[in-house]
Amino acid sequence: DQQVKQNSPSLSVQEGRISILNCDYTNSMFDYFLWYKKYPAEGPTFLISISSIKDKNEDGRFTVFLNKSAKHLSLHIVPSQPGDSAVYFCAANTGGGADGLTFGKGTHLIIQP
Amino acid sequence: GAGVSQSPSNKVTEKGKDVELRCDPISGHTALYWYRQRLGQGLEFLIYFQGNSAPDKSGLPSDRFSAERTGESVSTLTIQRTQQEDSAVYLCASSLVGLAGGTQYFGPGTRLTVL
């Protein structure tokens, strides 16, 4: 039973355009959400997070939106750059962020020149 | 370096052997986590340490898996009598619990192959 779902295994976006990665969750106890980026043969790198008390958090080109009623979050990357090509994982946890993370299976983002 | 380090980076072992994986967290980080990632899957939570106690072992898949942590430093994950289904990348993360969100920072992982 997957509690965090990323339904798009891959996404192709043209350089300079907006990339939108989606994530759905089922556990209403989740109160902290994160996005990680992963290159091959490396560990995941933290990108951006959002607490359940907010609906938006922005950091440079990256914005995360949280819709609690729909149990949905999304990561927007604007503008997309070639270095953004990687696998993006959505993750969530409870306990104010202290617990182990529950991850989605990831979306492979490909930025085309 | 200032990041989380793990050793070895790669480990190939025969079915039935024991393996030990090591994690050095970021200095000062009180919380330490182990995850594994099987091929084509997301990361799967295994165990969490706060200091050197383990309040959450819920993710350990069987009693062949165990982990220890020395003080608020190094941790070792031990897999006894390895099976082929144990083949995965084992990732360690650490965080400063108490800060907003306790963002977890990951090491590069140990790729374990059980033949």
Side-chain angles (χ1 to χ4, degrees):
Chain A
D1 178 34
Q2 266 200 289
Q3 297 187 59
V4 176
K5 298 178 185 178
Q6 293 176 258
N7 292 319
S8 298
S10 66
L11 175 67
S12 184
V13 175
Q14 201 166 13
E15 181 179 357
R17 300 286 184 103
I18 182 171
S19 294
I20 300 176
L21 296 104
N22 292 302
C23 178
D24 297 290
Y25 62 96
T26 57
N27 187 345
S28 57
M29 298 299 292
F30 286 144
D31 57 8
Y32 194 65
F33 304 88
L34 308 91
W35 284 94
Y36 284 85
K37 174 181 179 180
K38 187 178 185 301
Y39 293 119
E42 294 183 11
T45 303
F46 169 72
L47 267 180
I48 193 168
S49 62
I50 189 166
S51 163
S52 59
I53 62 173
K54 295 187 174 182
D55 55 17
K56 178 183 175 181
N57 189 25
E58 190 172 351
D59 183 3
R61 296 186 298 114
F62 302 92
T63 303
V64 56
F65 295 92
L66 175 62
N67 182 335
K68 284 184 64 180
S69 60
K71 294 192 177 68
H72 177 84
L73 65 154
S74 60
L75 174 68
H76 292 211
I77 306 172
V78 182
S80 301
Q81 298 175 352
D84 296 332
S85 295
V87 177
Y88 289 77
F89 289 98
C90 172
N93 65 0
T94 59
D99 297 341
L101 291 164
T102 300
F103 281 84
K105 290 188 177 182
T107 296
H108 185 192
L109 177 64
I110 301 161
I111 305 301
Q112 295 184 333
Chain B
V4 177
S5 61
Q6 293 185 245
S7 62
S9 55
N10 281 284
K11 176 73 178 178
V12 179
T13 190
E14 293 179 348
K15 178 181 171 181
K17 302 276 190 179
D18 298 351
V19 295
E20 200 170 89
L21 312 179
R22 177 187 168 110
C23 171
D24 285 86
I26 293 171
S27 177
H29 278 194
T30 54
L32 185 148
Y33 306 79
W34 282 98
Y35 295 85
R36 74 175 174 182
Q37 185 181 18
R38 292 170 164 171
L39 191 65
Q41 301 295 312
L43 279 74
E44 176 188 0
F45 168 72
L46 298 179
I47 187 170
Y48 152 53
F49 287 92
Q50 173 59 31
N52 60 1
S53 65
D56 189 353
K57 302 180 182 180
S58 63
L60 293 178
S62 78
D63 58 8
R64 296 186 295 104
F65 287 71
S66 63
E68 291 183 345
R69 187 178 186 195
T70 307
E72 292 188 349
S73 181
V74 173
S75 175
T76 55
L77 176 70
T78 302
I79 309 173
Q80 295 178 311
R81 304 181 304 281
T82 52
Q83 303 293 312
Q84 287 182 333
E85 63 262 28
D86 300 334
S87 296
V89 176
Y90 288 81
L91 291 148
C92 175
S94 70
S95 74
L96 255 179
V97 178
L99 291 186
T103 298
Q104 296 176 28
Y105 296 91
F106 283 81
T110 294
R111 180 175 296 278
L112 175 66
T113 304
V114 182
L115 301 176

